[in-house]
Amino acid sequence: MPFTSLVARLPFPSAAVQRAVGIAAVLAQALIGVTGSIVRVTGSGLGCPTWPQCVAGSLVPKHDSGIDALNQWIEFGNRLLTGVVILVAAVAVVTAWRVQIDHPGRKRLVKLAWTMPGGVVLQAVVGGLTVLAKLEWWTVAIHFLATTPLVWLAVLLLRAFREGDEPARSLVPGRSVLVALAVVMWLVLAAGTTVTGAGPHSGDINTHRLAVSVETLAQVHGGLLVLYLLLLAVFGLQLLRAGAPKSLWQRYTVVWVVAVAQGGLGSLQYALGVPEAMVSFHVLGAMAVIIATASLWTGSRDRGPAISLAPASRELAAA
């Protein structure tokens, strides 16, 4: 294939480069979710009321369109950031592809890398439909929730660069509690979008809101977080019984710190009447919870040592 021959001419990515690309993928996927919240709380969701154009007849903001210029540029800036995320995703694919050329067995790594650009394109389409639907609360919820598995997959990609391809061997007896923890985490996130859907920050003053009491939805959201923490405590007991390694305990501790901080931030946000700035910090906290939980997930199993941190020729020469 012509593309394969072109990629093969690139220098083999060092371990540091592979790690940097993985980290960049995680940060890019998380950042787009945070900037989306900034669009919403500033009322800029319809700053660009059409898609893929910004305003009718123009791909970029037009100051004579009757829409506030700042709102236009906030929304347009978020769209431009999508281009940066796609660029990072493309670099991830090329990096993984170059690794596979020297190490043909690394098919899982390449598949994970391809979820980055594929997911971003899908997310862009969902974002366009959200604009065309005039920011109906449920479309905004789907737009946010579509980002969350991409953040999770980016963490798996980062880990894949630094591990082997052997069948996953669990470091704890059974992973049912960890699976339940991940499921409940997404339920917490989904419940959070309903609170947002009924809350004051709609992205545009004319957007319909979810006609349910914010207090009721916040209680459901908080209850699910309590369930998440209870499952996390049970998983800690499993780690204790299994004599888990120090590295796994470190990941586990990070999850506790991030989750408790996120819960405290959410409670403070609610008590203060949901100020705009705290909404974006809460979304940032949600991304941190996803990253920490995914890191715990990847750290709880072993796929053997990394085999692709150096070109195959070096490995053969050392054999």
Side-chain angles (χ1 to χ4, degrees), residues 46-264:
L46 294 179
C48 289
T50 64
W51 188 87
Q53 295 181 328
C54 179
V55 294
S58 177
L59 288 172
V60 299
K62 289 179 64 176
H63 299 312
D64 59 353
S65 62
I67 303 172
D68 183 80
L70 179 60
N71 292 144
Q72 285 192 63
W73 281 104
I74 290 175
E75 164 61 6
F76 185 69
N78 189 56
R79 294 187 182 189
L80 288 179
L81 183 61
T82 300
V84 175
V85 179
I86 291 177
L87 177 60
V88 172
V91 171
V93 170
V94 171
T95 302
W97 196 350
R98 180 64 185 86
V99 168
Q100 190 194 29
I101 289 173
D102 270 40
H103 303 275
R106 302 249 52 196
K107 295 179 180 179
R108 175 175 169 269
L109 175 66
V110 174
K111 289 178 180 178
L112 281 171
W114 271 111
T115 64
M116 296 294 99
V120 174
V121 171
L122 176 62
Q123 178 69 312
V125 173
V126 172
L129 294 175
T130 301
V131 172
L132 297 177
K134 305 303 180 185
L135 305 185
E136 288 291 336
W137 75 268
W138 56 271
T139 64
V140 175
I142 293 173
H143 190 32
F144 170 77
L145 291 174
T147 298
T148 59
L150 296 179
V151 178
W152 182 281
L153 288 168
V155 175
L156 265 60
L157 174 63
L158 171 60
R159 177 70 175 186
F161 276 121
R162 299 180 293 151
E163 66 182 359
D165 290 298
E166 298 176 8
R169 178 179 63 85
S170 179
L171 300 179
V172 292
R175 288 168 60 89
S176 57
V177 174
L178 191 55
V179 171
L181 185 72
V183 170
V184 171
M185 178 197 73
W186 266 296
L187 291 176
V188 173
L189 294 169
T193 65
T194 65
V195 178
T196 300
H201 303 298
S202 60
D204 185 80
I205 59 174
N206 297 316
T207 298
H208 296 150
R209 311 307 294 140
L210 174 60
V212 180
S213 167
V214 173
E215 182 178 6
T216 299
L217 295 173
Q219 288 174 349
V220 173
H221 182 48
L224 287 169
L225 177 60
V226 171
L227 177 58
Y228 174 91
L229 295 176
L230 288 174
L231 287 170
L232 189 59
V234 172
F235 186 66
L237 293 177
Q238 285 189 322
L239 295 182
L240 192 63
R241 290 178 57 187
K246 181 180 178 181
S247 60
L248 187 52
W249 277 111
Q250 290 173 338
R251 293 169 187 259
Y252 178 75
T253 301
V254 170
V255 177
W256 266 108
V257 172
V258 171
V260 171
Q262 173 72 338

Side-chain angles (χ1 to χ4, degrees), residues 28-45 74-75 77-79 81-82 123 130 135 140 143-144 147 196 201-203 279-280 283-284 287:
Q29 297 293 353
L31 181 61
I32 197 68
V34 176
T35 58
S37 72
I38 295 174
V39 172
R40 187 174 70 247
V41 298
T42 57
S44 304
I74 290 175
E75 164 61 6
N78 189 56
R79 294 187 182 189
L81 183 61
T82 300
Q123 178 69 312
T130 301
L135 305 185
V140 175
H143 190 32
F144 170 77
T147 298
T196 300
H201 303 298
S202 60
V279 171
S280 293
V283 172
L284 178 62
M287 295 301 168

